[in-house]
Amino acid sequence: MIKRLKLLSTQFISKVNRTLSLPGQCIACCASFQGRGLCSRCLDALPYNWQRCRQCALPLAFAPAKLVLCGECLKHPPAFDRVITPLRYQFPVNRLISRYKYSHQRALGRPLINVLAHEVSGHLIRSPTLRPDILVPSPMHPAKQRKRGFNQAEDIAEHLSLSIGVPWSVTLVKRQRAGPAQSGLNRQQRLANLREAFEVTGRPPPRIAIIDDVVTTGATARVLAELLKTAGALEVEVWALARTPG
Ligand SMILES: [Zn+2]
Ligand SMILES: [Zn+2]
């Protein structure tokens, strides 16, 4: 029975990926439309992250009159300069991302990567001086990457690179340790663990955008930005598909 289910799931995965490679059906509502991925109604209905902290993009429950900082950024100012995450990590974004990452349905990530590419292009038009010199995908430990089959941050970086014409690097920052067990540790201990997990291998260019799929606590982004700035980077942004509420 399990074998049959596995076969069914494999066929479904291949069908989804094939369907998305051709114009046709919306992956969320199944409506027919001229395009790929999400139809315009489903695209408009995505949970966009309009109300957010101006630095870490934490979703805010209220609409501030001007751009504000969240309590965490006020209390512990992060090393990154800003986070760009156009979406909130809630339905259907959470389902799409989890199937993109864990079920090898890589085509399900495409519409969300396109939303991020659109957001980033607007940001670079408004602030051309902030154009990064390089995109750095958040590194995954090689053993984990082998198990999963790919690093989604690299997949996103590759697509963004093609879209905005900025090169990407998988060698500037390496992950030398698998994700340590973080439960039961306090904030300082978690950050210290993460600092030891990454290594900057050379002198970084002045402006960097770290690429990830989801920003959750922001701890990884904080540590990567801190290490890159210590190594000589001047401006570090974080670009991700979605942001969790906390
Ligand atoms: Zn739709
Ligand atoms: Zn914040």
Side-chain angles (χ1 to χ4, degrees):
M1 183 63 178
I2 288 172
K3 276 186 182 164
R4 277 170 178 252
L5 282 175
K6 191 167 168 56
L7 181 68
L8 179 66
S9 130
T10 311
Q11 283 174 345
F12 180 66
I13 289 165
S14 107
K15 185 172 187 301
V16 167
N17 281 316
R18 199 168 53 239
T19 306
L20 281 174
S21 66
L22 296 167
Q25 201 177 33
C26 173
I27 56 170
C29 71
C30 297
S32 296
F33 78 113
Q34 292 298 309
R36 288 177 186 169
L38 293 166
C39 71
S40 57
R41 277 179 64 181
C42 287
L43 210 50
D44 289 346
L46 287 177
Y48 290 95
N49 191 19
W50 300 126
Q51 297 163 206
R52 57 185 186 259
C53 165
R54 75 160 193 253
Q55 194 161 3
C56 75
L58 181 76
L60 302 175
F62 59 95
K66 61 185 174 75
L67 293 172
V68 293
L69 290 174
C70 71
E72 183 67 10
C73 286
L74 282 169
K75 206 163 131 196
H76 304 288
F80 53 72
D81 295 275
R82 70 199 62 75
V83 174
I84 295 181
T85 51
L87 298 161
R88 293 186 176 195
Y89 192 70
Q90 61 195 56
F91 187 82
V93 172
N94 51 0
R95 294 287 300 276
L96 289 169
I97 290 180
S98 112
R99 288 167 75 170
Y100 163 58
K101 274 163 71 168
Y102 304 119
S103 307
H104 295 275
Q105 291 176 264
R106 288 169 69 164
L108 295 185
R110 295 291 170 272
L112 306 183
I113 297 172
N114 289 341
V115 170
L116 175 59
H118 182 76
E119 179 85 1
V120 160
S121 300
H123 164 62
L124 295 180
I125 289 170
R126 287 188 299 275
S127 312
T129 54
L130 296 180
R131 187 176 189 79
D133 301 298
I134 203 160
L135 310 180
V136 174
S138 184
M140 189 181 277
H141 189 268
K144 189 174 174 187
Q145 189 160 340
R146 272 196 301 279
K147 198 171 166 201
R148 186 173 297 176
F150 80 120
N151 174 358
Q152 67 281 353
E154 289 180 13
D155 188 51
I156 298 166
E158 185 177 10
H159 279 77
L160 288 176
S161 171
L162 286 170
S163 166
I164 60 170
V166 172
W168 61 294
S169 166
V170 289
T171 54
L172 183 60
V173 185
K174 297 262 188 208
R175 182 152 200 153
Q176 26 190 13
R177 273 178 33 189
Q182 297 279 50
S183 56
L185 302 180
N186 66 29
R187 186 178 184 282
Q188 286 309 321
Q189 290 167 324
R190 285 177 191 197
L191 290 173
N193 257 349
L194 277 171
R195 278 184 202 109
E196 285 179 26
F198 297 110
E199 182 195 4
V200 178
T201 60
R203 185 168 174 82
R207 281 172 300 279
I208 293 176
I210 296 165
I211 311 299
D212 217 339
D213 57 326
V214 182
V215 174
T216 47
T217 61
T220 303
R222 278 176 177 263
V223 166
L224 286 175
E226 190 185 292
L227 293 173
L228 285 163
K229 284 200 167 173
T230 304
L234 299 177
E235 182 95 11
V236 178
E237 297 193 336
V238 181
W239 299 352
L241 305 178
R243 181 76 161 93
T244 61

